[in-house]
Amino acid sequence: HPVLAMALGESDVVVMRVPVAAGSAGDGGSIAQLQLDIEPGFHVLAVLRGGRYLSRPRGFVELEAGDEVIATGPQEGRARLAELFGWRFVAEDEDDPSSEAELLPLSAAR
């Protein structure tokens, strides 16, 4: 979103929106249990569930398949964040956070 781009400016921080896939490490786990702030270093800004946003969710919030996690963190943690939620992160240019990127299901990659 353009507002996020303006807010982040030239920082090394990126924002990701990642759906929670059924059967992934994130499915049924709480934000605290997943330790996203430690590895891959992301902080959850919001969770989109059933068309409603849970803003600044606390650690006890359990994630469910179908949720979308909106988080901010270091560019180098994008692949690990995607993996925790059942996806493989593929970017045209790994060094450019603004390059085209997509999430592919991990199950299809195997």
Side-chain angles (χ1 to χ4, degrees), residues 44-110:
V44 178
L45 302 173
V47 174
L48 177 59
R49 176 180 292 159
R52 300 189 66 164
Y53 286 94
L54 304 170
S55 297
R56 295 178 20 187
R58 303 212 184 237
F60 62 81
V61 172
E62 288 189 10
L63 301 172
E64 305 168 359
D67 287 351
E68 289 191 30
V69 174
I70 301 165
T72 183
Q75 177 179 327
E76 59 273 6
R78 297 180 296 178
R80 179 65 181 139
L81 181 70
E83 182 181 301
L84 287 169
F85 294 118
W87 303 94
R88 185 167 57 97
F89 180 80
V90 179
E92 282 184 8
D93 183 353
E94 290 291 327
D95 296 326
D96 181 4
S98 64
S99 72
E100 289 292 319
E102 64 180 318
L103 298 174
L104 301 174
L106 278 177
S107 58
R110 293 184 175 144

Side-chain angles (χ1 to χ4, degrees), residues 25-36 58-63:
D27 184 11
S30 73
I31 291 172
Q33 289 170 331
L34 292 169
Q35 298 184 336
L36 301 175
R58 303 212 184 237
F60 62 81
V61 172
E62 288 189 10
L63 301 172

